[in-house]
């Protein structure tokens, strides 16, 4: 399986040149909140919401103590403002209660497994969110799995799982060391442009021969007639935080 994954990385690297092999680091709490904002929205919208929080409030303490309507206004652009503002405030309150201040820099010195154990204790924080903090906040060699990465790894036949968390558990042992972040970003791009959730462009896919998706022939016949691959008009928020 590792050979197949290496082959996928090589083919997708040719298809999407210029992907960074490693993430740049950022503040772990910023990354935690940026990841919460990024649920069910575009990268651009969640990036604007994150910037609004950073510019309209002095610090996370102020986000916690201001009227919630101010928080909602700041993040409205990324949708689900009610739910996300509540989740962010619950998280900040929980961090303050457990750490006595709103800061999670203590995780920087911990090994990956301890960071999962620590951060999963906080309200509203799941495995995907912690993986993003590790990869994008701390530059660790982990493989975050969202619904898109989950879909792709299953379609390609790398694993057979029912949920992103199960996919994460299996993929963490399959992806070669030092390649996890690169594979994650390549799959995100590939999922947006080619292996889309609906109507994948199988007829234009460089991974066609190695893909285990049962409907690939059907979608190949459709996508050979489809319009050209759409231009990239998004950016990865996690590269911008
Ligand atoms: S052949 Fe189709 S389903 Fe398989 S990876 Fe390519 S686009 Fe996705």
């Amino acid at each position: 399986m590792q050979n197949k994954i290496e082959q996928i990385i090589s083919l997708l690297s040719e298809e999407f040149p210029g992907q960074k092999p490693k993430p740049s680091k950022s503040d772990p709490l910023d990354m935690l909140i940026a990841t919460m904002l990024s649920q069910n929205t575009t990268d651009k919208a969640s990036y604007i919401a994150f910037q609004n929080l950073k510019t309209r409030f002095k610090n996370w303490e102020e986000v916690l103590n201001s009227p919630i309507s101010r928080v909602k206004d700041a993040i409205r652009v990324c949708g689900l403002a009610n739910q996300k503002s509540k989740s962010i405030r619950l998280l900040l309150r929980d961090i303050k209660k457990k750490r006595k201040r709103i800061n999670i820099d203590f995780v920087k010195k911990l090994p990956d497994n301890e960071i999962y154990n620590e951060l999963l204790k906080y309200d509203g924080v799941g495995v995907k969110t912690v993986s993003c903090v590790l990869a994008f906040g701390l530059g660790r060699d982990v493989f975050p799995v969202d619904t898109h990465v989950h879909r792709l790894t299953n379609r390609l036949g790398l694993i057979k799982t029912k949920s992103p968390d199960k996919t994460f558990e299996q993929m963490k042992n399959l992806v070669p060391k030092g390649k996890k972040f690169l594979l994650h970003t390549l799959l995100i791009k590939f999922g947006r442009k080619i292996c889309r959730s609906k109507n994948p462009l199988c007829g234009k896919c460089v991974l066609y021969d190695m893909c285990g998706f049962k409907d690939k022939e059907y979608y190949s016949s459709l996508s050979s007639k489809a319009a050209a691959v759409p231009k990239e008009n998004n950016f990865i928020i996690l590269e911008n935080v």
Side-chain angles (χ1 to χ4, degrees), residues 32-49:
L32 198 50
I33 290 173
T35 309
M36 291 170 94
L37 291 169
S38 72
Q39 322 283 333
N40 297 312
T41 189
T42 63
D43 293 338
K44 190 171 179 179
S46 62
Y47 180 62
I48 294 170

Side-chain angles (χ1 to χ4, degrees), residues 155-156 190 194-195 200-202 205 207-208 211 213 216:
R155 277 183 180 170
L156 284 163
F190 179 60
I194 307 285
C195 193
L201 300 173
C202 301
C205 176
L207 305 182
Y208 186 89
C211 175
F213 186 44
K216 69 179 183 180

Side-chain angles (χ1 to χ4, degrees), residues 45 49 52 56 68-69 71-82:
N52 285 347
R56 294 186 194 180
I68 196 156
S69 54
V71 182
K72 263 191 245 172
D73 281 347
I75 67 170
R76 198 170 303 287
V77 60
C78 74
L80 302 174
N82 280 342

Side-chain angles (χ1 to χ4, degrees), residues 35 38-39 116 126-133 144-147 165:
T35 309
S38 72
Q39 322 283 333
Y116 279 102
V127 171
K128 184 196 84 175
T129 306
V130 182
S131 300
C132 286
V133 171
V145 176
D146 63 4
T147 52
D165 285 358

Side-chain angles (χ1 to χ4, degrees), residues 151-152 155-156 190 194-196 199-217 219-220 223:
R151 176 181 77 248
L152 295 173
R155 277 183 180 170
L156 284 163
F190 179 60
I194 307 285
C195 193
R196 307 175 305 198
N199 299 321
L201 300 173
C202 301
K204 300 176 191 302
C205 176
V206 292
L207 305 182
Y208 186 89
D209 289 342
M210 65 174 75
C211 175
F213 186 44
K214 66 179 173 41
D215 297 328
K216 69 179 183 180
E217 279 183 34
Y219 283 109
S220 177
S223 54

